Amino acid sequence: MAYVYVNLLLKDPDTMAAYREKAGAALQKHGAKVLVSTPTQTVIEGERDTTGIGVILQFASPEAAKGWINDPELQEAHALRQAAGKSAITLLA
């Protein structure tokens, strides 16, 4: 298994809504499961930059996660997420 952590500082809720319409199919194409999606995060130890929407995705392998983020057919969906706010996506594998 491989996990992906997404932190998104939302700026444009309408664009995020458009992204969510495409996100499910994009994730399904690469066998991902959304384990957690929350509008708020709380740092319980240490310091870090600003947090926003937090998502943890599960993939069958690191290659599947990389396939999702690098899939040329999904660039339109990824562009919507990027336009919706500032995101950082981290592969935990």
Side-chain angles (χ1 to χ4, degrees):
M1 290 294 162
Y3 301 90
V4 169
Y5 166 66
V6 180
N7 183 58
L8 174 69
L9 300 174
L10 186 61
K11 293 189 287 189
D12 185 343
D14 292 335
T15 302
M16 187 63 181
Y19 168 71
R20 283 189 177 125
E21 289 179 17
K22 296 180 179 286
L27 292 169
Q28 184 178 26
K29 179 179 178 183
H30 292 276
K33 280 179 30 177
V34 177
L35 298 181
V36 176
S37 180
T38 181
T40 59
Q41 303 174 59
T42 303
V43 176
I44 59 174
E45 183 177 1
E47 295 180 30
R48 61 166 294 161
D49 294 338
T50 306
T51 62
I53 297 170
V55 181
I56 297 177
L57 305 172
Q58 179 183 11
F59 289 86
S61 67
E63 293 75 25
K66 291 175 186 176
W68 162 73
I69 201 68
N70 294 315
D71 187 334
E73 294 179 9
L74 301 180
Q75 293 313 301
E76 181 183 336
H78 292 313
L80 285 170
R81 184 194 66 252
Q82 293 160 353
K86 181 180 176 187
S87 61
I89 300 176
T90 306
L91 176 60
L92 307 173

